[in-house]
mmCIF file of all heavy atoms in Angstrom:
data_model
loop_
_atom_site.group_PDB
_atom_site.id
_atom_site.type_symbol
_atom_site.label_atom_id
_atom_site.label_comp_id
_atom_site.label_asym_id
_atom_site.label_seq_id
_atom_site.Cartn_x
_atom_site.Cartn_y
_atom_site.Cartn_z
ATOM 1 N N ILE A 286 4.610 -13.112 -13.388
ATOM 2 C CA ILE A 286 3.965 -14.340 -12.916
ATOM 3 C C ILE A 286 4.863 -15.102 -11.924
ATOM 4 O O ILE A 286 4.377 -15.712 -10.983
ATOM 5 C CB ILE A 286 3.521 -15.189 -14.122
ATOM 6 C CG1 ILE A 286 2.294 -14.519 -14.746
ATOM 7 C CG2 ILE A 286 3.176 -16.627 -13.726
ATOM 8 C CD1 ILE A 286 1.985 -14.906 -16.140
ATOM 9 N N LYS A 287 6.165 -14.998 -12.122
ATOM 10 C CA LYS A 287 7.096 -15.647 -11.189
ATOM 11 C C LYS A 287 6.916 -15.146 -9.757
ATOM 12 O O LYS A 287 7.216 -15.830 -8.805
ATOM 13 C CB LYS A 287 8.539 -15.353 -11.627
ATOM 14 C CG LYS A 287 9.201 -16.543 -12.322
ATOM 15 C CD LYS A 287 10.696 -16.471 -12.246
ATOM 16 C CE LYS A 287 11.196 -15.394 -13.182
ATOM 17 N NZ LYS A 287 12.579 -15.288 -13.438
ATOM 18 N N ARG A 288 6.457 -13.917 -9.629
ATOM 19 C CA ARG A 288 6.327 -13.317 -8.294
ATOM 20 C C ARG A 288 4.981 -13.624 -7.642
ATOM 21 O O ARG A 288 4.753 -13.282 -6.498
ATOM 22 C CB ARG A 288 6.452 -11.801 -8.372
ATOM 23 C CG ARG A 288 7.561 -11.361 -9.258
ATOM 24 C CD ARG A 288 8.389 -10.299 -8.615
ATOM 25 N NE ARG A 288 9.509 -10.015 -9.470
ATOM 26 C CZ ARG A 288 10.778 -10.130 -9.116
ATOM 27 N NH1 ARG A 288 11.070 -10.510 -7.906
ATOM 28 N NH2 ARG A 288 11.745 -9.860 -9.962
ATOM 29 N N LEU A 289 4.081 -14.233 -8.397
ATOM 30 C CA LEU A 289 2.754 -14.533 -7.842
ATOM 31 C C LEU A 289 2.770 -15.892 -7.155
ATOM 32 O O LEU A 289 3.536 -16.777 -7.551
ATOM 33 C CB LEU A 289 1.716 -14.584 -8.969
ATOM 34 C CG LEU A 289 1.414 -13.270 -9.685
ATOM 35 C CD1 LEU A 289 0.667 -13.545 -10.987
ATOM 36 C CD2 LEU A 289 0.570 -12.377 -8.801
ATOM 37 N N PRO A 290 1.932 -16.069 -6.139
ATOM 38 C CA PRO A 290 1.871 -17.397 -5.522
ATOM 39 C C PRO A 290 1.337 -18.424 -6.524
ATOM 40 O O PRO A 290 0.562 -18.071 -7.426
ATOM 41 C CB PRO A 290 0.879 -17.218 -4.372
ATOM 42 C CG PRO A 290 0.240 -15.897 -4.550
ATOM 43 C CD PRO A 290 1.009 -15.105 -5.546
ATOM 44 N N ARG A 291 1.744 -19.674 -6.358
ATOM 45 C CA ARG A 291 1.248 -20.711 -7.268
ATOM 46 C C ARG A 291 -0.236 -20.979 -7.051
ATOM 47 O O ARG A 291 -0.960 -21.290 -7.981
ATOM 48 C CB ARG A 291 2.040 -22.008 -7.053
ATOM 49 C CG ARG A 291 3.404 -21.952 -7.709
ATOM 50 C CD ARG A 291 4.159 -23.237 -7.434
ATOM 51 N NE ARG A 291 3.653 -24.346 -8.254
ATOM 52 C CZ ARG A 291 4.063 -24.570 -9.493
ATOM 53 N NH1 ARG A 291 4.959 -23.785 -10.046
ATOM 54 N NH2 ARG A 291 3.584 -25.579 -10.179
ATOM 55 N N GLU A 292 -0.656 -20.876 -5.781
ATOM 56 C CA GLU A 292 -2.083 -21.085 -5.508
ATOM 57 C C GLU A 292 -2.786 -19.769 -5.824
ATOM 58 O O GLU A 292 -2.731 -18.825 -5.033
ATOM 59 C CB GLU A 292 -2.380 -21.437 -4.038
ATOM 60 C CG GLU A 292 -1.546 -22.535 -3.458
ATOM 61 C CD GLU A 292 -0.153 -22.045 -3.146
ATOM 62 O OE1 GLU A 292 -0.027 -20.993 -2.505
ATOM 63 O OE2 GLU A 292 0.817 -22.695 -3.579
ATOM 64 N N ARG A 293 -3.386 -19.771 -6.964
ATOM 65 C CA ARG A 293 -4.094 -18.557 -7.360
ATOM 66 C C ARG A 293 -5.148 -18.932 -8.390
ATOM 67 O O ARG A 293 -5.121 -20.028 -8.952
ATOM 68 C CB ARG A 293 -3.129 -17.530 -7.956
ATOM 69 C CG ARG A 293 -2.419 -18.040 -9.170
ATOM 70 C CD ARG A 293 -1.778 -16.965 -10.009
ATOM 71 N NE ARG A 293 -1.509 -17.493 -11.324
ATOM 72 C CZ ARG A 293 -0.338 -18.001 -11.692
ATOM 73 N NH1 ARG A 293 0.682 -18.027 -10.856
ATOM 74 N NH2 ARG A 293 -0.186 -18.499 -12.891
ATOM 75 N N GLN A 294 -6.079 -18.009 -8.564
ATOM 76 C CA GLN A 294 -7.078 -18.198 -9.620
ATOM 77 C C GLN A 294 -6.641 -17.348 -10.814
ATOM 78 O O GLN A 294 -6.404 -16.149 -10.664
ATOM 79 C CB GLN A 294 -8.449 -17.737 -9.116
ATOM 80 C CG GLN A 294 -9.568 -18.072 -10.067
ATOM 81 C CD GLN A 294 -10.941 -17.645 -9.539
ATOM 82 O OE1 GLN A 294 -11.044 -16.835 -8.613
ATOM 83 N NE2 GLN A 294 -11.988 -18.172 -10.135
ATOM 84 N N THR A 295 -6.506 -17.992 -11.953
ATOM 85 C CA THR A 295 -6.051 -17.261 -13.139
ATOM 86 C C THR A 295 -7.171 -17.208 -14.173
ATOM 87 O O THR A 295 -7.789 -18.228 -14.478
ATOM 88 C CB THR A 295 -4.804 -17.942 -13.755
ATOM 89 O OG1 THR A 295 -3.820 -18.062 -12.727
ATOM 90 C CG2 THR A 295 -4.237 -17.134 -14.905
ATOM 91 N N MET A 296 -7.423 -16.014 -14.674
ATOM 92 C CA MET A 296 -8.512 -15.837 -15.643
ATOM 93 C C MET A 296 -7.950 -15.173 -16.884
ATOM 94 O O MET A 296 -7.315 -14.130 -16.791
ATOM 95 C CB MET A 296 -9.596 -14.924 -15.053
ATOM 96 C CG MET A 296 -10.031 -15.363 -13.674
ATOM 97 S SD MET A 296 -10.940 -14.058 -12.819
ATOM 98 C CE MET A 296 -10.224 -14.208 -11.181
ATOM 99 N N MET A 297 -8.164 -15.788 -18.010
ATOM 100 C CA MET A 297 -7.704 -15.182 -19.258
ATOM 101 C C MET A 297 -8.890 -14.868 -20.136
ATOM 102 O O MET A 297 -9.687 -15.752 -20.437
ATOM 103 C CB MET A 297 -6.735 -16.119 -19.981
ATOM 104 C CG MET A 297 -5.376 -16.111 -19.314
ATOM 105 S SD MET A 297 -4.154 -17.154 -20.105
ATOM 106 C CE MET A 297 -3.910 -16.344 -21.624
ATOM 107 N N PHE A 298 -8.989 -13.616 -20.526
ATOM 108 C CA PHE A 298 -10.074 -13.188 -21.407
ATOM 109 C C PHE A 298 -9.477 -12.674 -22.692
ATOM 110 O O PHE A 298 -8.468 -11.974 -22.678
ATOM 111 C CB PHE A 298 -10.898 -12.080 -20.747
ATOM 112 C CG PHE A 298 -11.840 -12.617 -19.728
ATOM 113 C CD1 PHE A 298 -11.370 -13.042 -18.498
ATOM 114 C CD2 PHE A 298 -13.194 -12.732 -19.994
ATOM 115 C CE1 PHE A 298 -12.219 -13.575 -17.553
ATOM 116 C CE2 PHE A 298 -14.059 -13.252 -19.061
ATOM 117 C CZ PHE A 298 -13.573 -13.680 -17.840
ATOM 118 N N SER A 299 -10.100 -13.023 -23.777
ATOM 119 C CA SER A 299 -9.532 -12.625 -25.043
ATOM 120 C C SER A 299 -10.563 -12.712 -26.153
ATOM 121 O O SER A 299 -11.466 -13.543 -26.102
ATOM 122 C CB SER A 299 -8.370 -13.561 -25.355
ATOM 123 O OG SER A 299 -7.803 -13.185 -26.561
ATOM 124 N N ALA A 300 -10.424 -11.839 -27.137
ATOM 125 C CA ALA A 300 -11.360 -11.885 -28.268
ATOM 126 C C ALA A 300 -11.004 -13.039 -29.186
ATOM 127 O O ALA A 300 -11.879 -13.711 -29.721
ATOM 128 C CB ALA A 300 -11.326 -10.576 -29.031
ATOM 129 N N THR A 301 -9.715 -13.253 -29.380
ATOM 130 C CA THR A 301 -9.292 -14.319 -30.292
ATOM 131 C C THR A 301 -8.344 -15.261 -29.557
ATOM 132 O O THR A 301 -7.617 -14.845 -28.658
ATOM 133 C CB THR A 301 -8.546 -13.736 -31.506
ATOM 134 O OG1 THR A 301 -7.474 -12.920 -31.032
ATOM 135 C CG2 THR A 301 -9.471 -12.908 -32.371
ATOM 136 N N PHE A 302 -8.354 -16.499 -29.930
ATOM 137 C CA PHE A 302 -7.458 -17.483 -29.324
ATOM 138 C C PHE A 302 -6.848 -18.379 -30.384
ATOM 139 O O PHE A 302 -7.433 -19.365 -30.795
ATOM 140 C CB PHE A 302 -8.209 -18.356 -28.310
ATOM 141 C CG PHE A 302 -8.191 -17.806 -26.932
ATOM 142 C CD1 PHE A 302 -9.348 -17.387 -26.328
ATOM 143 C CD2 PHE A 302 -6.997 -17.699 -26.234
ATOM 144 C CE1 PHE A 302 -9.341 -16.859 -25.044
ATOM 145 C CE2 PHE A 302 -6.967 -17.175 -24.952
ATOM 146 C CZ PHE A 302 -8.145 -16.758 -24.356
ATOM 147 N N GLU A 303 -5.660 -18.003 -30.823
ATOM 148 C CA GLU A 303 -4.971 -18.899 -31.753
ATOM 149 C C GLU A 303 -4.410 -20.052 -30.933
ATOM 150 O O GLU A 303 -4.203 -19.919 -29.732
ATOM 151 C CB GLU A 303 -3.797 -18.175 -32.409
ATOM 152 C CG GLU A 303 -4.151 -16.927 -33.158
ATOM 153 C CD GLU A 303 -2.931 -16.014 -33.295
ATOM 154 O OE1 GLU A 303 -1.828 -16.546 -33.507
ATOM 155 O OE2 GLU A 303 -3.104 -14.809 -33.163
ATOM 156 N N THR A 304 -4.126 -21.165 -31.607
ATOM 157 C CA THR A 304 -3.625 -22.354 -30.907
ATOM 158 C C THR A 304 -2.343 -22.028 -30.141
ATOM 159 O O THR A 304 -2.161 -22.441 -28.999
ATOM 160 C CB THR A 304 -3.314 -23.458 -31.937
ATOM 161 O OG1 THR A 304 -4.344 -23.432 -32.911
ATOM 162 C CG2 THR A 304 -3.221 -24.815 -31.297
ATOM 163 N N ARG A 305 -1.476 -21.255 -30.781
ATOM 164 C CA ARG A 305 -0.203 -20.881 -30.160
ATOM 165 C C ARG A 305 -0.443 -20.187 -28.808
ATOM 166 O O ARG A 305 0.223 -20.464 -27.822
ATOM 167 C CB ARG A 305 0.489 -19.904 -31.116
ATOM 168 C CG ARG A 305 1.835 -19.415 -30.728
ATOM 169 C CD ARG A 305 2.379 -18.524 -31.836
ATOM 170 N NE ARG A 305 1.610 -17.280 -32.002
ATOM 171 C CZ ARG A 305 1.871 -16.149 -31.348
ATOM 172 N NH1 ARG A 305 2.869 -16.111 -30.494
ATOM 173 N NH2 ARG A 305 1.151 -15.078 -31.549
ATOM 174 N N ILE A 306 -1.415 -19.313 -28.806
ATOM 175 C CA ILE A 306 -1.719 -18.546 -27.597
ATOM 176 C C ILE A 306 -2.348 -19.467 -26.553
ATOM 177 O O ILE A 306 -2.052 -19.383 -25.367
ATOM 178 C CB ILE A 306 -2.700 -17.401 -27.937
ATOM 179 C CG1 ILE A 306 -2.209 -16.585 -29.123
ATOM 180 C CG2 ILE A 306 -3.021 -16.559 -26.733
ATOM 181 C CD1 ILE A 306 -1.242 -15.505 -28.851
ATOM 182 N N LYS A 307 -3.210 -20.356 -27.016
ATOM 183 C CA LYS A 307 -3.873 -21.284 -26.094
ATOM 184 C C LYS A 307 -2.840 -22.136 -25.363
ATOM 185 O O LYS A 307 -2.937 -22.383 -24.169
ATOM 186 C CB LYS A 307 -4.815 -22.209 -26.871
ATOM 187 C CG LYS A 307 -6.256 -21.800 -26.778
ATOM 188 C CD LYS A 307 -7.124 -22.896 -27.348
ATOM 189 C CE LYS A 307 -8.542 -22.436 -27.479
ATOM 190 N NZ LYS A 307 -9.386 -23.331 -28.217
ATOM 191 N N THR A 308 -1.845 -22.602 -26.108
ATOM 192 C CA THR A 308 -0.816 -23.443 -25.508
ATOM 193 C C THR A 308 -0.117 -22.672 -24.389
ATOM 194 O O THR A 308 0.092 -23.203 -23.288
ATOM 195 C CB THR A 308 0.237 -23.834 -26.583
ATOM 196 O OG1 THR A 308 -0.460 -24.196 -27.754
ATOM 197 C CG2 THR A 308 1.135 -24.943 -26.121
ATOM 198 N N LEU A 309 0.199 -21.439 -24.671
ATOM 199 C CA LEU A 309 0.841 -20.611 -23.648
ATOM 200 C C LEU A 309 -0.081 -20.431 -22.448
ATOM 201 O O LEU A 309 0.341 -20.527 -21.297
ATOM 202 C CB LEU A 309 1.159 -19.231 -24.225
ATOM 203 C CG LEU A 309 2.482 -19.093 -24.940
ATOM 204 C CD1 LEU A 309 2.566 -17.740 -25.620
ATOM 205 C CD2 LEU A 309 3.628 -19.262 -23.965
ATOM 206 N N ALA A 310 -1.346 -20.191 -22.756
ATOM 207 C CA ALA A 310 -2.321 -19.954 -21.700
ATOM 208 C C ALA A 310 -2.385 -21.142 -20.743
ATOM 209 O O ALA A 310 -2.416 -20.978 -19.523
ATOM 210 C CB ALA A 310 -3.687 -19.694 -22.315
ATOM 211 N N TYR A 311 -2.377 -22.321 -21.308
ATOM 212 C CA TYR A 311 -2.499 -23.510 -20.469
ATOM 213 C C TYR A 311 -1.300 -23.673 -19.542
ATOM 214 O O TYR A 311 -1.403 -24.265 -18.484
ATOM 215 C CB TYR A 311 -2.720 -24.758 -21.330
ATOM 216 C CG TYR A 311 -4.198 -24.965 -21.571
ATOM 217 C CD1 TYR A 311 -4.887 -24.217 -22.507
ATOM 218 C CD2 TYR A 311 -4.914 -25.890 -20.811
ATOM 219 C CE1 TYR A 311 -6.242 -24.374 -22.706
ATOM 220 C CE2 TYR A 311 -6.277 -26.057 -21.000
ATOM 221 C CZ TYR A 311 -6.938 -25.292 -21.959
ATOM 222 O OH TYR A 311 -8.281 -25.448 -22.126
ATOM 223 N N ARG A 312 -0.163 -23.142 -19.944
ATOM 224 C CA ARG A 312 1.019 -23.220 -19.075
ATOM 225 C C ARG A 312 0.833 -22.386 -17.818
ATOM 226 O O ARG A 312 1.449 -22.643 -16.793
ATOM 227 C CB ARG A 312 2.246 -22.704 -19.835
ATOM 228 C CG ARG A 312 2.888 -23.767 -20.649
ATOM 229 C CD ARG A 312 4.312 -23.463 -21.052
ATOM 230 N NE ARG A 312 4.862 -22.189 -20.610
ATOM 231 C CZ ARG A 312 5.534 -21.356 -21.399
ATOM 232 N NH1 ARG A 312 5.716 -21.650 -22.663
ATOM 233 N NH2 ARG A 312 6.037 -20.240 -20.920
ATOM 234 N N LEU A 313 0.014 -21.357 -17.918
ATOM 235 C CA LEU A 313 -0.142 -20.435 -16.789
ATOM 236 C C LEU A 313 -1.291 -20.820 -15.863
ATOM 237 O O LEU A 313 -1.499 -20.200 -14.847
ATOM 238 C CB LEU A 313 -0.412 -19.016 -17.309
ATOM 239 C CG LEU A 313 0.595 -18.418 -18.267
ATOM 240 C CD1 LEU A 313 0.155 -17.031 -18.689
ATOM 241 C CD2 LEU A 313 1.967 -18.355 -17.619
ATOM 242 N N MET A 314 -2.072 -21.849 -16.257
ATOM 243 C CA MET A 314 -3.287 -22.129 -15.495
ATOM 244 C C MET A 314 -3.379 -23.579 -15.048
ATOM 245 O O MET A 314 -2.678 -24.441 -15.572
ATOM 246 C CB MET A 314 -4.502 -21.787 -16.359
ATOM 247 C CG MET A 314 -4.592 -20.311 -16.618
ATOM 248 S SD MET A 314 -6.147 -19.846 -17.348
ATOM 249 C CE MET A 314 -5.815 -20.204 -19.007
ATOM 250 N N GLN A 315 -4.258 -23.808 -14.091
ATOM 251 C CA GLN A 315 -4.480 -25.176 -13.625
ATOM 252 C C GLN A 315 -5.906 -25.592 -13.976
ATOM 253 O O GLN A 315 -6.852 -24.958 -13.521
ATOM 254 C CB GLN A 315 -4.273 -25.246 -12.115
ATOM 255 C CG GLN A 315 -2.822 -25.029 -11.755
ATOM 256 C CD GLN A 315 -2.590 -25.052 -10.258
ATOM 257 O OE1 GLN A 315 -3.543 -25.078 -9.475
ATOM 258 N NE2 GLN A 315 -1.339 -25.045 -9.861
ATOM 259 N N ASP A 316 -6.012 -26.660 -14.741
ATOM 260 C CA ASP A 316 -7.323 -27.196 -15.158
ATOM 261 C C ASP A 316 -8.338 -26.109 -15.494
ATOM 262 O O ASP A 316 -9.415 -26.059 -14.894
ATOM 263 C CB ASP A 316 -7.925 -28.071 -14.038
ATOM 264 C CG ASP A 316 -7.065 -29.268 -13.766
ATOM 265 O OD1 ASP A 316 -6.453 -29.770 -14.722
ATOM 266 O OD2 ASP A 316 -6.987 -29.686 -12.585
#
Side-chain angles (χ1 to χ4, degrees):
I286 286 161
K287 257 203 287 190
R288 316 227 175 239
L289 293 165
R291 282 178 75 85
E292 310 76 49
R293 60 163 198 264
Q294 188 178 17
T295 306
M296 310 164 222
M297 284 181 67
F298 282 75
S299 181
T301 54
F302 270 115
E303 302 158 39
T304 320
R305 182 177 66 89
I306 309 276
K307 259 190 189 170
T308 316
L309 273 172
Y311 271 78
R312 274 199 0 227
L313 304 179
M314 293 191 277
Q315 292 178 352
D316 297 327

